[in-house]
Amino acid sequence: MRENLPDLTAMAAYGARIAQQLRSGDVVALEGGLGAGKTTLARAILASLGHAGEVPSPTFTIIETYDSPPLRLAVIHADFYRLDDPSELAEIGLDDYREGAVLLAEWPDHAGGFGHEPGCLAIHLALVGESGEGGRIAIARAGQDWVGRMP
């Protein structure tokens, strides 16, 4: 599915629609180049799940956790950009973090990808125009568990 996101308001609304459909164990794999809006969409999803504070980019920490409550669901926000190899996930303990939570994964390809999981919603974000002056386009591909609940 393709979605035009001309501005931050549209991005926030798209994030809210995703958040409404999330279930424990889901993965939202956020793909796209630098500046495509991956962290912005993750922030919109977290806000729609009930997070009211700052949402730092996990570029350096790799993983940020958000508990339920206060959020409707526990969330792991991960940025795998700095991983050299997917085997590093074992050192980080990602599987332990994921238990009972939603995973918002930026740069999922650096972690070996999540598209094989039935609960994966992969969203590729791309800039419209050379510097994004036309907003973004989101192209979503859904795993089997997303049938009937695509945002």
Side-chain angles (χ1 to χ4, degrees), residues 30-110:
L30 301 169
E31 306 165 348
L34 292 171
K38 296 178 295 297
T39 301
T40 301
L41 183 54
R43 287 176 175 142
I45 293 168
L46 284 161
S48 294
L49 289 172
H51 184 71
E54 290 286 319
V55 176
S57 172
T59 300
F60 295 103
T61 59
I62 301 178
I63 291 177
E64 292 286 336
T65 61
Y66 299 88
D67 295 328
S68 171
L71 273 62
R72 181 175 69 81
L73 295 164
V75 175
I76 307 308
H77 181 197
D79 184 331
F80 299 119
Y81 182 77
R82 294 185 324 119
L83 293 185
D84 293 321
D85 189 270
S87 65
E88 294 177 66
L89 292 176
E91 294 173 30
I92 295 169
L94 181 64
D95 288 342
D96 295 331
Y97 284 109
R98 286 188 64 186
E99 191 169 324
V102 169
L103 173 62
L104 302 179
E106 298 186 39
W107 299 97
D109 55 319
H110 289 223

Side-chain angles (χ1 to χ4, degrees), residues 10-46:
M11 181 78 83
Y14 187 56
R17 289 195 311 274
I18 293 167
Q20 288 173 348
Q21 300 301 322
L22 284 173
R23 298 178 187 159
S24 179
D26 283 343
V27 177
V28 180
L30 301 169
E31 306 165 348
L34 292 171
K38 296 178 295 297
T39 301
T40 301
L41 183 54
R43 287 176 175 142
I45 293 168
L46 284 161

